[in-house]
Every structure is written in C-alpha cells, then in structure tokens.
Amino acid sequence: METVKELLVILIASSLVNNVVLSQFLGLCPFLGVSRKTNTATGMGVAVIFVITLASAVAGAIYKYLLVPLDITYLQTIVFILVIAALVQFVEMFLKKYIPALYQSLGVYLPLITTNCAVLGVALTNVQKEYGILAGIVNGFATAVGFTISITILAGIREKMAYNDIPESFKGMPIVLVTAGLMAIAFCGFSGLL
C-alpha cells in the first residue's frame, strides 16, 4: 500500500514533471488537433481524464487479478486496447446523448481517444513501474490532468495568436509546433520540483 507522500509524488510527477504531452510526446494528435478553442480543449481534457482514470483502474484490476494469476501477461497490450476502446465508446455515447454540443465540437477526435497512445501508455507505465491499483489510478488521473493542462494552455495561446501578425511562413501548424516546443521547454522547469 502506497503512502500519501508517495501518491502525492506520483500526482506531481505525472501531471507536471513528466507531462505526457510535453515531455513524453504521447497524445500529440488530439493535442494539436483539438487545441483551436479553449472550451473544446477543456472538453477533450475532461473526456481524457475520465477515460484514462477509469482505464487505469480497470486495466490494473484485470492485470492483477486475471493476467498475472493465469500467467498470460504477454496479452496485456491487447487487453488494455480492448478496455480503452470500450471506455471510449461509453464516453462517446454519453456525450452524444447528454452533451451534444461538445460531442459535435470534438468531432473525429473523440473516437481518436481510443488510439491515443497516452491512454495506452499510462496503462503500460502502471504495469512497468509495478504500481498497485490505487497508485495506478492516481498516475492515470495525474497524467490526464497534465494532458488537460497542456491542451488548455495551448488552446488559450492559439486563440490569442489569431489576433497577432504572424509571418506567412509560420502561419498555421508551424507556429503551433513552435509554441508547443516552447511550452515543453517551460515545463522542463518543473523538473526541479522532485
């Protein structure tokens, strides 16, 4: 059982120091694609928080209580992908029924959570670091919060950049990539926290 201090270290490390997007470069597709507007980016972040946290819990339980006892841990990647796909379908149905505006604004990027390497990366990291189920859930939640922080900051910057005079060669994705690179450098400053 992990102590509160260990869980707090995991929380800070996964959300800020080892940010899934800005230091591990996982989940770049929705990071770059959905970060045009702050409200859409925040909605995507909330969906990712839900999916990664729940996927961490379910994948951790399946790994500990099914794959390890049956000695079939070599199937972990396939099992985790199936768990993630099922959770994303649940989120998609929920948003379509209860929050159709967000469902429409996320568009094709919502089903892309299924193939978002950040979600699978967290499940595999939990196994690799031998986290228990609680530590895995905290790691998943913190990673998703870090993703949400990153995508929301980038969306806010992109909204402000729309009003700036940008050289023609930097318009569009080039300036977004430069901005993401500068954000990654800025997040390196958090490495001194731990």
Side-chain angles (χ1 to χ4, degrees), residues 41 55 57 68 110 176 185 188:
V68 171
L110 185 58
V176 173
I185 292 170
C188 285

Side-chain angles (χ1 to χ4, degrees), residues 93-173:
M93 289 186 304
F94 178 82
L95 289 178
K96 189 174 185 178
K97 182 167 181 146
Y98 295 107
I99 312 173
L102 181 59
Y103 175 79
Q104 290 295 327
S105 65
L106 291 176
V108 71
Y109 292 100
L110 185 58
L112 282 178
I113 295 176
T114 303
T115 58
N116 187 342
C117 53
V119 183
L120 180 59
V122 170
L124 294 173
T125 298
N126 290 343
V127 170
Q128 181 184 9
K129 292 188 176 183
E130 298 178 358
Y131 286 151
I133 294 175
L134 179 61
I137 292 170
V138 170
N139 181 48
F141 175 76
T143 300
V145 167
F147 175 86
T148 304
I149 290 169
S150 302
I151 196 171
T152 305
I153 289 172
L154 182 63
I157 293 171
R158 285 180 77 173
E159 284 180 352
K160 298 294 182 190
M161 282 191 309
Y163 301 107
N164 293 334
D165 186 27
I166 298 170
E168 191 65 36
S169 60
F170 280 99
K171 285 187 179 176
M173 195 51 66

Side-chain angles (χ1 to χ4, degrees), residues 37-127:
K37 296 188 180 287
T38 308
N39 60 349
T40 307
T42 305
M44 174 61 103
V46 170
V48 168
I49 287 173
F50 178 77
V51 169
I52 289 183
T53 305
L54 201 54
S56 296
V58 174
I62 288 173
Y63 183 81
K64 182 176 181 178
Y65 297 115
L66 185 66
L67 300 180
V68 171
L70 294 176
D71 196 27
I72 53 173
T73 56
Y74 57 88
L75 293 175
Q76 68 187 10
T77 304
I78 294 169
V79 171
F80 293 167
I81 289 171
L82 292 174
V83 166
I84 292 164
L87 291 173
V88 170
Q89 288 301 310
F90 173 73
V91 169
E92 190 172 0
M93 289 186 304
F94 178 82
L95 289 178
K96 189 174 185 178
K97 182 167 181 146
Y98 295 107
I99 312 173
L102 181 59
Y103 175 79
Q104 290 295 327
S105 65
L106 291 176
V108 71
Y109 292 100
L110 185 58
L112 282 178
I113 295 176
T114 303
T115 58
N116 187 342
C117 53
V119 183
L120 180 59
V122 170
L124 294 173
T125 298
N126 290 343
V127 170

